[in-house]
Amino acid sequence: MLTVTELKKSFGEIQAVRGLSFSIKRGETFGLLGPNGVGKSTTINMIVGLLEPDSGAVSLADVNDSSLREYRLNIGAAPQSLALYDEFTAQENLEFFAKLYGLSGAKLKERVEYALDLAALVDRKDDRINTYSGGMKRRLNLACAMVHDPPFLALDEPMVGVDPQSRNLIFERIEELKKSGCTILYTTHYMEEAQRLCDRVAIMDNGQIKDIGTVEELIERHGGPSIVTAEFEEQPNLALSSDVTIDGHTLHAKTPKPMELIAKLTDSGVTFRSLNVERPNLETVFLNITGTKLRD
Amino acid sequence: MREIWHMAAKDLSLLVRDRAGLFWLLAFPLIMALFFGSVMGGMGGSGGRGKMRLAFVDETSGSQYAIEYRKLLSESNALSVTDTNMVDARQSVRVGRRSAYIALMPDTAAQSGLSLYPGGIPRFEVGIDPSRKAEAAVLQGLLTQTHFSLVMGQFSDPASAMDMFRTSSETLDTLNVSKSGIDASQRDNLQELLSSLESFYGKMDSIKEQVADSHSFSDNDSVTDSANPDSSTATAANGLADSGPFQGPEFNIHAVVDDRERPHSAFEITFPQALIWGLLGCVTAFALSIVTEKTHGTLVRLRLAPLSYTQIIGGKGLACFIAAISVCAILMAIGYVVFDVRIDDPLKLALAIVACAICFVGIMMVISLMGKTERAVSGAGWGIMLVFSMVGGGMIPLIAMPSWMVEIGALSPVRWGITALEGAIWRGLSYQEMLLPVGILVTIGVTAFFIGVTILSRRQM
C-alpha cells in the first residue's frame, strides 16, 4: 500500500529525517515509534503531502506524486494538533471536510452519520465544538480523517491529551477500522498503544529507523532477559547457572528462557511461596534501542 | 470551482457567527456614517448643528450700535450668540463651553453712534478657544461683515447718514489736533467732505424721484423688500432708488451642485465613507482568517484535502469578495431606506462596489502576509488601513488636509474608492469619468492579489 524509499528532509542545519525506507502492506497497522523530536511527524508530513522531501520517494497505492488528487483521496490524516473549526458543530465540520473530498448527497449524509457514530458524538452533533471536552474534540479529529472513507489512515499521536474513557473508545474504533481492512500508519511514543494496535513497528531515533518488525521479533532481538523472582517455603539446594542468585529463601534470575527455569525448579520439588516473571516488553525494547538518557 | 465555493461558504458562515466581527463590518461603518452625517447637518434643517457658539458682551452700556450689532450677529447662520458678561464669557471659552467671545468695548464711537472720524471705529475684544484657532479668520470675517452691514445701513438711510455726518463734523470740531494725529489741513478737508456729503444726502429725495421716473420702478416691490426684517442683505441690495449712492458688495454664497441638486443630504457624502469602512473591516477579518487557519491547525487539514493552494486562497478571496459586496449592499440599502440616500445610477454604483471589492480583496491577500500570528496581522491590517483611510479621505475630509497630504492621498485606494462611490451616488460622473478610479482600483486589486497568492504559495501559507 505504502512504500517509502530513502526519504530525507533537513531544516537548515538540522537533518530531521536521514534516508528512511519502509513499506506497509494493505490492511496492516504500522507503528512509527520514537522519542519526541526524532522525525516521526516530519516523516508522516512527507507521506501525506504536507512537506516536500529533500530526496527520496513515497508511493501510495502506486501513485508517486503526493500533490495529485488520486493520492490525496486515498489518505485520511488526523494531525497531532486538533484541526477543527470551533465555531462549527461536529456535523458541520464533518460535512465541510467531506465536501472537500467531493462527497455530496446521500453518500455525504451516510459518511457523516458513520463518522459521528465512530466518534460517539451523535447526541452532541448539533453543538458547537467549542463546548466539547478535549477527548470529544480528539475523537472528532479522528472522525474528520475518516469521513471520506480513505483506504489509508495516518494518525499522528492520536491519544495526546485524551481522558481514559475517550482513549479506550479511540482504541476500539481504530481496532474496528483495522478489522475493516484499513491500512494505518500510527505514530506514538506510548509503547502500550503500539503494542496493542500495531502489527509491525519501526523504532526511530535520530532521523533513522533503528529496527522494524513485529513486537515479538523486536522483543526477541532487543528485549533482553526476563527477570524471575521466586520465594520458597524452604531454602532450595539446587545447582543453577551463574545468572541465578539464591539469597536464603529467595531466588533472583535473569534469563532469556524463564519458562525453562521455572520447569527446572518445579521438577526439583521446591515449594513456591510466590513467583514473579517480568518479561521484556516494547518499552524495554524502546529504551534499549534509544537509550535512557533524556534528550531534548 | 466547487471546492472554492465550499471554502468560501465555510468562511462566510464563520464570519456570520462572529458577532464581534460583524460589528466591525456593518455596525461600525453605519455608526461612522450617522455620526459624520449628523455633524455635517445630514438630518436636514439648521438645528444649530455646526454653529460656532459665541458669547456676546456689551461693555458700552446698551449703546444703539451694540444693540444693532448684536441683532445682526444673531441672524447669522454660522453663529449661535448668547449674551453674557465679560467674566462668564472668558470662563466659558476657557473651559471649552463656547468657541469664542466678542466684547464691544467702551469709550469708542460705538457709544455715541457710528462716526467717520479716525479713531471712531468700534473696538472689539475677541477671545477664541485655542482648539478653534483655525476658525478665527472665519469669525473675524463674520464680525467685520456684520460691522459693515451696519455701516451700509447708515449710508442707505439718508436721515441716518446725515446724522452721522453731522456727529462726525461736530466731533472733528472738538478734536485735539495734536493727540489725534490729524493735522489742521486734513481736518479742514474732512470737514469739507462731510459738508458735501450732508448737502448731497439733503438732495436725495429729488434724485430718487428722477430715477423712479426714468426706470419705472415698482413702489410695491421696493416696499416689500425693504419691509423684510429678516434679510440681512436686504438693506444693501435694495438698489439705488432706496439705498442711495453707497451700496456694499452683495455676497451670494452657495454650494457648487449640479442641476439635480445633489448631494441631497450629508448622508450621501458620508455613506461612501461608511462603505469604505465596511470594506476595511472585511480586509482585516479575512486577512486574520488566513492566519487563524494556520494557528488553529485547520490549514493543515485543508492542505491534506485534494485542493491546490490556488483553490484554498481562491476560496478566501471569493469569500472576502462576497462579504465585501454584501456589506456594501446592506449599508447602501440601510442608507436608501432609512436615511434617504438617493443613488444617482445603480449600475455605476454596482460597478464602483465591484471595483472596490476587487481592490480590497487584493489588499487583504497582501496584509495576510504581514505576520505569522493573529496579533501581528491584526496590527498590520488596521495600521495600514488607518493610514490609507487617513490620507485617502476616509477619516478627515480632503479639504482639511495640507496640500502635500492631499497629493499623497492619490496613493491610497481609499481615495479612489470614495471617488468611485461618490461618482455613482451623487457626483453624477459619466462612465468615462468613472473609468479612472475604477481602473485604478481594479489594477491595485489584481496586482496585490497575485503578489499575495504567489508569496503565500511559496511560503506554503
Side-chain angles (χ1 to χ4, degrees), chain A residues 18-37:
Chain A
R18 308 173 182 208
L20 222 59
S21 297
F22 61 91
S23 61
I24 305 175
K25 287 178 276 184
R26 194 174 293 273
E28 189 179 29
T29 299
F30 186 86
L32 206 53
L33 274 60
N36 290 327

Side-chain angles (χ1 to χ4, degrees), chain B residues 145-193:
Chain B
Q145 183 193 18
T146 307
H147 170 74
F148 276 104
S149 292
L150 280 179
V151 173
M152 291 310 299
Q154 293 239 320
F155 274 107
S156 62
D157 177 7
S160 297
M162 286 172 71
D163 274 350
M164 180 173 66
F165 301 144
R166 213 170 292 127
T167 309
S168 300
S169 178
E170 286 165 10
T171 311
L172 273 175
D173 284 341
T174 58
L175 195 69
N176 186 327
V177 173
S178 61
K179 285 184 181 174
S180 68
I182 297 175
D183 60 29
S185 65
Q186 283 175 324
R187 188 175 63 182
D188 292 344
N189 289 336
L190 277 170
Q191 285 287 24
E192 197 177 329
L193 172 67

Side-chain angles (χ1 to χ4, degrees), chain A residues 48 50 69 72-73 77-79 82-85 87-89 92 96-97 99-102 104 128 141 144-145, chain B residues 2-3 6-7 9-11 13-14 17-18 293 296-307 309 316 460:
Chain A
V48 299
L50 288 176
R69 184 176 172 79
R72 299 291 178 100
L73 286 173
L82 293 171
L84 303 164
Y85 292 103
E87 296 301 318
F88 278 170
T89 64
E92 286 168 335
F96 169 65
F97 290 120
K99 283 177 186 171
L100 294 184
Y101 287 85
S104 61
R128 288 192 187 180
N141 201 40
C144 286
Chain B
R2 209 171 59 165
E3 285 80 7
H6 290 320
M7 289 278 302
K10 178 263 297 177
D11 279 320
S13 183
L14 287 172
R17 289 169 196 212
D18 180 5
E293 296 270 16
H296 286 208
T298 44
L299 182 63
V300 169
R301 207 181 278 289
L302 297 179
R303 288 179 55 208
L304 287 168
L307 300 172
Y309 282 123
K316 287 282 174 200
Q460 302 195 331

Side-chain angles (χ1 to χ4, degrees), chain A:
Chain A
M1 182 78 184
L2 177 80
T3 307
V4 174
T5 313
E6 280 299 312
L7 214 53
K8 288 183 182 170
K9 182 72 184 177
S10 296
F11 299 103
E13 297 290 305
I14 300 165
Q15 280 188 289
V17 176
R18 308 173 182 208
L20 222 59
S21 297
F22 61 91
S23 61
I24 305 175
K25 287 178 276 184
R26 194 174 293 273
E28 189 179 29
T29 299
F30 186 86
L32 206 53
L33 274 60
N36 290 327
V38 295
K40 300 189 300 291
S41 293
T42 305
T43 304
I44 214 166
N45 284 343
M46 286 190 284
I47 290 169
V48 299
L50 288 176
L51 275 178
E52 194 72 28
D54 294 339
S55 64
V58 180
S59 169
L60 179 70
D62 298 324
V63 182
N64 299 316
D65 186 350
S66 65
S67 66
L68 291 177
R69 184 176 172 79
E70 305 85 68
Y71 189 100
R72 299 291 178 100
L73 286 173
N74 280 324
I75 293 182
Q80 190 172 338
S81 307
L82 293 171
L84 303 164
Y85 292 103
D86 281 353
E87 296 301 318
F88 278 170
T89 64
Q91 175 148 354
E92 286 168 335
N93 268 288
L94 289 165
E95 282 176 353
F96 169 65
F97 290 120
K99 283 177 186 171
L100 294 184
Y101 287 85
L103 268 62
S104 61
K107 177 76 176 167
L108 173 75
K109 196 177 169 215
E110 178 200 325
R111 288 304 302 176
V112 168
E113 281 172 6
Y114 165 79
L116 284 169
D117 184 50
L118 181 88
L121 289 171
V122 175
D123 293 341
R124 298 285 306 272
K125 66 176 182 177
D126 295 324
D127 293 341
R128 288 192 187 180
I129 66 160
N130 53 17
T131 64
Y132 283 11
S133 68
M136 292 164 79
K137 286 182 183 175
R138 191 56 73 176
R139 274 145 48 197
L140 182 60
N141 201 40
L142 174 67
C144 286
M146 282 304 301
V147 71
H148 61 288
D149 198 12
F152 179 79
L153 196 55
L155 307 178
D156 192 4
E157 306 269 9
M159 302 293 185
V160 171
V162 174
D163 58 277
Q165 285 77 14
S166 289
R167 190 185 181 90
N168 196 46
L169 187 86
I170 292 173
F171 269 136
E172 286 173 11
R173 294 304 192 246
I174 293 173
E175 280 167 344
E176 281 172 24
L177 291 169
K178 191 178 162 183
K179 280 180 195 160
S180 71
C182 188
T183 308
I184 301 171
L185 171 61
Y186 193 100
T187 74
T188 183
H189 57 271
Y190 295 122
M191 297 305 118
E192 66 274 27
E193 288 179 22
Q195 199 154 357
R196 176 171 169 178
L197 293 171
C198 298
D199 300 316
R200 281 194 308 140
V201 170
I203 296 187
M204 275 188 79
D205 196 18
N206 207 18
Q208 293 173 309
I209 288 179
K210 295 295 183 184
D211 202 357
I212 295 181
T214 62
V215 173
E216 284 70 28
E217 286 168 350
L218 291 174
I219 289 172
E220 199 174 314
R221 288 204 286 267
H222 305 284
S226 296
I227 298 169
V228 179
T229 309
E231 224 179 315
F232 307 110
E233 293 292 342
E234 295 165 2
Q235 190 169 341
N237 187 15
L238 296 168
L240 296 167
S241 66
S242 59
D243 289 341
V244 181
T245 56
I246 295 175
D247 180 14
H249 290 235
T250 307
L251 173 144
H252 295 281
K254 282 186 178 176
T255 170
K257 294 174 180 173
M259 297 316 292
E260 284 182 18
L261 175 65
I262 293 165
K264 199 172 178 180
L265 289 169
T266 309
D267 291 346
S268 69
V270 295
T271 309
F272 290 97
R273 192 182 291 166
S274 68
L275 176 65
N276 184 43
V277 181
E278 276 181 42
R279 297 198 56 159
N281 56 18
L282 200 54
E283 190 158 343
T284 323
V285 173
F286 184 82
L287 288 173
N288 285 342
I289 290 177
T290 61
T292 53
K293 199 175 173 186
L294 183 66
R295 287 173 293 173
D296 289 315

Side-chain angles (χ1 to χ4, degrees), chain B residues 40-101:
Chain B
M40 293 164 70
M43 294 296 187
S46 56
R49 273 181 296 276
K51 286 186 174 186
M52 181 184 268
R53 286 164 301 152
L54 186 72
F56 183 82
V57 182
D58 178 11
E59 295 283 281
T60 65
S61 308
S63 68
Q64 187 62 29
Y65 176 82
I67 292 165
E68 289 181 17
Y69 191 89
R70 167 71 179 81
K71 183 170 174 278
L72 264 183
L73 267 188
S74 62
E75 287 169 2
S76 168
N77 285 329
L79 299 171
S80 168
V81 187
T82 312
D83 293 306
T84 185
N85 58 47
M86 188 63 108
V87 174
D88 177 64
R90 284 180 176 153
Q91 174 68 5
S92 64
V93 173
R94 192 182 66 77
V95 299
R97 214 166 55 239
R98 294 196 181 93
S99 306
Y101 74 85

